[in-house]
Amino acid sequence: MTEIRPEATSGAQTARRARDPLLEPLQLKKLRLKNRIMSTSHAATLDDGGTPKERYQRYHEEKAKGGLALTMFGGSSMVSPDSSWGSGQVDVASDDVIPYLQQFSDRIHAHGAAIMCQISHLGRRADALSHNWIATMGPSPIRERRHRNFPRAMDEHDIARVVRDYAAAARRCKEGGLDGVETLTGGHLIGQFFSPRTNRRTDRFGGSTENRARFGLMVHEAIRKAVGDDWLVGIRFVVDEGHDDGEPGNIDFEECVRIARLFEREGHIDFFNCIFGRMDTELALAEHNMPGMSQPLAPFLKPVGLFKRETKLPVFHAARIPDIATARHAVAEGLLDMVAMTRAHMADPQIVNKLMRGEEERIRPCVGASHCLWKKVACIHNPATGREAVLPQLIEPAARRGRKVVVVGGGPGGLEAARVAAERGHKVVLLEAASRLGGQLLLATKASWRKDLIAIIDWRAAELEKFGVDVRLNTLAEPADALAEQPEVVIVATGGVPDLGWLEGGEHCTTLWDALGDVSRVKDDVIVFDGTGRHAAASAALHLAEQGRKVQFVTIDDTIALEMEYSSRVVYRQRFARHGVRITIDHQLVGVARHGNGLVARIRHELTGAETELRAAQVVAENGTVPVDDVFTGLAARSANRGITDIERLIAREPQLDAPPAKGAFELHRIGDAVTSRGVHSAIYDALRLASAL
C-alpha cells in the first residue's frame, strides 16, 4: 500500500482536532484515516473514454488538498464490457487503466488523503444500445423503468464470468495503488439479486435470503482472494429499499440486516457505506438515493444509525449532509464512523482546512440545488468545481493589487465579482439599487421548496464584509456614479427585467416577479406560461398552487422543466399532480386579451399550428429577461476597451488588456443577465473567470 504523507498541523489545529469528533482519526486495518470526513463515489463524467486522466484527477485532488480523509471515485465503474450506460464511467475492465490509477493514487496520497474506487456491474441498468451494444442481463428478465432495457436472465456461466470480472477489477485497483474498493448493491447487479422485486429465480440464487445473497457473497470472496486480507473492501449497501410506492418485493430494514450479517459473518468486507431506498425510477433517485433541497437535511441518518447498531463494522453514509453541524452530530452521537459530504465538497473542497483553521463559518454552503446532477459536478455557485485545470478553487493575490473596481449590481454575479476582486487585493465598491443584496435570487427563494438558495447570497455577503468591500444599498447607479469613484475597472451586473415585449397583449399579463413578490395580488384562477423550461415558471406555478390558487400550466416544451436536472423535473411533476395543476405541453402563448372580468389566452400548438383559447382571471407569463444595460451603454464609449470583453482572454483567464489603462481611464465589462438571460451558475462563472484575472 502506498504510504500516505501526513499533513503538518499547527498547535491551534491540534487543539481543534482533539475536541472535534469530525477531526478524530479512524483506523481501518492498516489504513489510518486522518479525520471522519469523506467524499463518496459518484459518476463525475470527467473521464476521457473511461479513463481517469488529468481533469478527473484534478477534481478529486482539490478535495485532498482541502483536507478530507478519504475520496472515493468512479461511481458505477464498469467491471465488465456489458456494464456500460454509454459514457461517463471509469472502465476498470482492462489493465489499461492501471497506470492512470497509479498516477491518481500518488496525486491523492501526496496530500495525506486516502483514495478508493467503486467497482460495479450495472446488470439490467446497463444500456444495450450504446458502447459495446451487448444485451443487458440480470437475475431475472425484469425491465428497469428508468434505464428501460429488457434484460435476459443470467445463467451460471454469466455469473461465474462476472464474479471473475469483479475480482480482476479489484486487483487492478490494488495494483493502481488505491487503498481499497467498494461494490454497490442498490439497483446494481448485486442488489438486483438481493431483492425479490428483481430476482424471481428458483435455483440456488433465488428464493431464500441466503440464496439471494449468494451471488454477492461469491463476488466478495473472489475479490478477497485477489487482493489479500490487508487491503480494504467494502459495500455501498442499501439498509432499506422503502415501501412507499405500493409495489411488492422491496426488501425492508430487517431483511437488509439479515443480508448484512451474512456478509459480516463471511469476513470478506471491512465497512458498510450505507444508502437508503431504490434508484430504478427518477422519483426514487430524487427522494431516496440523491435527495436535494426538496427533501429535509440528512433524511436517512436515523435508519443508518439504527443499522450501525446491528454491525461491528465501520459505517459510512452520504445523503444530503451538507453542513458541519449535521455531520458533527452524526459522528458525535455514534450514528456513523465516517460522514460523507460529497456534494458539499463540490461547493467547497476546502471544508476540512477551514474547519481546522477555525473558519467554519466561511465554508461555502451546499444549497442542495442539484445543479451538479444536471451538469455533473458543476456546483450552482462554485464554477471552479470540475474545471480545476482552468479555474482556481483558491483565489490568489493579484500581481498588481489595489486597483479600484466598481461593481454595479448586487445579484449573484455582482457579489461574486466583488468577492473575487476583493480577495485578490483590490479596492471594491458595490452599488446596489435595492435595499437588500440578492437580485432575482431573492424572488426565487420565495417559491415553494427553493428557499435554501438564499445561502448563495448570504455567504457572499459575509465574504464581502470580511474583505472590506464598500457595499452601498439603495443606490440606483447612473454612469456618473460609477465614474465618480475614479475606477480602473467597472463590472456591470445589473441583471435583467421580465420580457413581455414579444407578446401581443403582454400589458394584460402579470410578470413572474410580481406574482412571487406578492402572492396576495394573484387571483384564484391563473394561467402560468413557461417559455424557458427553467425553474422560474414551474416553481412559481407550484407555489401559487400550494397557496390555494387554481393553476393551469402551459409550456412551449414537450415536458415541464425541460432545462432542469431529473430530480427537479420529477419533483415538479409529482407536486403538480398532488396540487391539481393542469399541464398543457407543446403550446406557445401568442396573445392575451380581456374577456369580461377575466382574460383569454390564445395558445398555438407547436406541432400542428392549431390555435385554441384558455380563460382565467389572470395570466402570468415567463419568457426570461431582457438586460438592464443603461449603465453599460452609458459607459461603453468612455471605456478603454469600448465595453468589449475579449472572449478568448476570458476563457483563458487572462487579463483583458495588455497593459493597465492610462490614468483616469477604465476597462468595462458586463456579466450575467446584463448580457442576456441565463441563470445563477452562468452569472457566477462569468464573474469568477473575469475577476480572477484582474
Side-chain angles (χ1 to χ4, degrees):
M1 185 177 299
T2 303
E3 180 182 0
I4 300 176
R5 303 176 199 168
E7 78 283 8
T9 56
S10 68
Q13 290 172 342
T14 301
R16 290 189 192 94
R17 185 186 292 275
R19 63 176 179 265
D20 192 333
L22 288 176
L23 300 178
E24 293 178 359
L26 177 67
Q27 193 74 32
L28 295 177
K29 288 187 173 177
K30 294 184 177 181
L31 179 67
R32 182 177 174 85
L33 297 174
K34 61 185 179 182
N35 55 58
R36 302 301 182 96
I37 298 177
M38 64 177 289
S39 173
T40 51
S41 303
H42 51 288
T45 69
L46 300 175
D47 60 290
D48 184 351
T51 304
K53 295 182 181 178
E54 176 79 6
R55 186 181 175 211
Y56 199 112
Q57 294 177 28
R58 289 282 294 273
Y59 163 63
H60 282 273
E61 184 182 20
E62 288 299 323
K63 305 178 190 184
K65 287 180 180 178
L68 90 176
L70 168 64
T71 191
M72 289 184 167
F73 72 96
S76 307
S77 292
M78 50 190 291
V79 302
S80 305
D82 54 353
S83 182
S84 172
W85 54 44
S87 64
Q89 297 163 268
V90 173
D91 186 352
V92 289
S94 164
D95 285 354
D96 292 344
V97 76
I98 294 174
Y100 299 100
L101 296 181
Q102 291 170 340
Q103 295 172 9
F104 202 171
S105 58
D106 287 347
R107 189 187 291 265
I108 300 302
H109 289 153
H111 302 289
I115 180 171
M116 299 185 190
C117 181
Q118 181 183 100
I119 62 174
S120 190
H121 196 294
L122 294 170
R124 70 176 189 154
R125 301 196 90 213
D127 188 355
L129 304 179
S130 65
H131 195 57
N132 291 313
W133 285 67
I134 299 174
T136 58
M137 61 184 185
S140 299
I142 300 171
R143 185 193 197 201
E144 185 194 286
R145 285 170 54 193
R146 185 164 195 270
H147 283 258
R148 306 186 66 79
N149 288 271
F150 289 90
R152 63 179 178 83
M154 296 172 68
D155 58 25
E156 292 267 0
H157 168 77
D158 297 319
I159 289 171
R161 171 178 64 84
V162 174
V163 169
R164 291 194 302 270
D165 288 347
Y166 266 103
R171 185 261 305 165
R172 294 180 189 108
C173 290
K174 184 178 182 182
E175 291 184 16
L178 306 186
D179 299 292
V181 294
E182 70 172 7
T183 61
L184 174 61
T185 65
H188 288 222
L189 187 56
I190 294 175
Q192 292 164 27
F193 272 92
F194 285 174
S195 180
R197 188 187 187 108
T198 47
N199 183 351
R200 310 282 176 82
R201 300 175 75 100
T202 58
D203 62 2
R204 67 190 184 113
F205 293 97
S208 67
T209 301
E210 291 76 8
N211 282 355
R212 286 182 280 110
R214 190 183 307 278
F215 170 72
L217 292 168
M218 290 169 60
V219 165
H220 284 85
E221 181 181 12
I223 290 175
R224 183 57 70 193
K225 288 179 179 178
V227 300
D229 292 335
D230 292 335
W231 205 62
L232 293 172
V233 179
I235 309 179
R236 196 160 198 187
F237 187 81
V238 173
V239 300
D240 190 335
E241 282 194 322
H243 289 267
D244 54 0
D245 61 358
E247 294 187 36
N250 292 333
I251 50 178
D252 60 14
F253 180 83
E254 288 74 20
E255 177 70 350
C256 290
V257 168
R258 284 191 287 270
I259 294 171
R261 286 175 175 161
L262 292 174
F263 279 82
E264 188 171 351
R265 184 187 68 193
E266 292 298 310
H268 298 314
I269 63 170
D270 303 303
F271 61 85
F272 288 106
N273 187 1
C274 295
I275 53 178
F276 184 96
R278 306 199 326 268
M279 58 179 71
D280 54 351
T281 67
E282 288 191 346
L283 185 59
L285 280 168
E287 292 191 334
H288 292 166
N289 200 252
M290 289 177 277
M293 67 167 60
S294 65
Q295 301 297 311
L297 293 179
F300 310 121
L301 198 52
K302 182 177 179 180
V304 172
L306 293 174
F307 178 84
K308 180 170 166 52
R309 297 180 187 177
E310 305 293 336
T311 179
K312 297 178 181 178
L313 295 176
V315 169
F316 309 165
H317 175 55
R320 199 160 190 241
I321 304 177
D323 63 292
I324 289 296
T326 303
R328 185 178 288 121
H329 164 76
V331 174
E333 296 301 317
L335 304 175
L336 304 177
D337 295 288
M338 289 289 291
V339 59
M341 305 182 72
T342 308
R343 283 177 282 181
H345 274 86
M346 296 178 195
D348 192 343
Q350 287 283 317
I351 288 174
V352 176
N353 283 347
K354 290 179 179 178
L355 187 60
M356 292 282 287
R357 293 196 300 263
E359 298 178 346
E360 183 175 329
E361 76 285 351
R362 293 197 63 205
I363 294 172
R364 186 190 324 232
C366 171
V367 300
S370 297
H371 184 87
C372 54
L373 300 181
W374 181 41
K375 293 299 184 181
K376 293 299 181 186
V377 308
C379 172
I380 191 171
H381 73 132
N382 184 359
T385 294
R387 301 184 177 104
E388 287 77 10
V390 294
L391 286 173
Q393 288 285 2
L394 296 175
I395 304 302
E396 298 177 353
R400 186 172 73 90
R401 305 184 199 180
R403 301 179 73 187
K404 185 64 175 290
V405 179
V406 174
V407 178
V408 184
L415 290 173
E416 178 72 353
R419 176 190 78 88
V420 175
E423 192 163 357
R424 282 180 62 75
H426 299 308
K427 300 175 183 178
V428 182
V429 174
L430 187 147
L431 308 176
E432 166 56 37
S435 60
R436 290 182 61 191
L437 296 172
Q440 296 179 46
L441 207 56
L442 293 178
L443 287 169
T445 62
K446 293 186 177 184
S448 190
W449 44 272
R450 307 280 290 167
K451 62 183 183 301
D452 288 351
L453 290 170
I454 195 62
I456 295 173
I457 302 302
D458 291 345
W459 179 76
R460 284 175 172 78
E463 290 290 287
L464 296 197
E465 183 175 357
K466 174 181 174 57
F467 290 110
V469 173
D470 182 359
V471 176
R472 303 176 192 172
L473 301 175
N474 299 305
T475 303
L476 182 60
E478 301 287 346
D481 298 307
L483 293 174
E485 299 299 321
Q486 298 181 322
E488 295 179 62
V489 181
V490 178
I491 299 174
V492 176
T494 43
V497 292
D499 180 15
L500 291 177
W502 55 278
L503 178 63
E504 179 187 337
E507 69 274 13
H508 302 306
C509 295
T510 304
T511 69
L512 203 74
W513 293 16
D514 288 337
L516 287 175
D518 186 358
V519 175
S520 67
R521 296 171 58 187
V522 179
K523 299 179 180 179
D524 290 340
D525 181 12
V526 60
I527 295 168
V528 176
F529 171 72
D530 181 13
T532 69
R534 303 172 188 169
H535 276 285
S539 60
L542 179 57
H543 183 60
L544 295 175
E546 290 170 341
Q547 300 300 312
R549 306 306 193 270
K550 179 183 175 183
V551 179
Q552 301 179 69
F553 187 82
V554 180
T555 175
I556 194 172
D557 297 316
D558 60 2
T559 185
I560 67 170
L562 187 64
E563 289 191 21
M564 300 179 216
E565 73 289 344
Y566 59 79
S567 57
S568 289
R569 287 198 304 266
V570 72
V571 168
Y572 281 124
R573 295 204 313 271
Q574 178 197 55
R575 298 189 181 188
F576 273 23
R578 285 177 178 171
H579 291 279
V581 176
R582 293 165 51 195
I583 301 170
T584 301
I585 63 170
D586 288 328
H587 277 77
Q588 171 68 275
L589 178 64
V590 293
V592 177
R594 292 209 172 276
H595 181 78
N597 293 326
L599 298 173
V600 57
R602 195 169 80 256
I603 60 175
R604 182 176 62 235
H605 199 290
E606 285 291 290
L607 304 180
T608 68
E611 291 192 1
T612 188
E613 293 182 346
L614 298 176
R615 287 175 170 76
Q618 198 166 6
V619 175
V620 176
E622 162 62 7
N623 195 46
T625 59
V626 292
V628 175
D629 56 5
D630 294 351
V631 174
F632 177 82
T633 302
L635 292 174
R638 306 185 197 184
S639 66
N641 62 329
R642 299 291 186 183
I644 298 169
T645 300
D646 187 308
I647 299 301
E648 292 183 356
R649 293 190 180 205
L650 180 71
I651 293 171
R653 206 166 59 84
E654 296 174 349
Q656 286 287 311
L657 301 179
D658 292 327
K663 187 175 182 179
F666 64 95
E667 59 179 286
L668 172 69
H669 306 281
R670 55 177 170 172
I671 61 175
D673 283 6
V675 180
T676 190
S677 181
R678 288 178 290 168
V680 174
H681 183 82
S682 295
I684 293 175
Y685 188 11
D686 278 357
L688 175 60
R689 55 186 170 183
L690 178 66
S692 63
L694 291 178

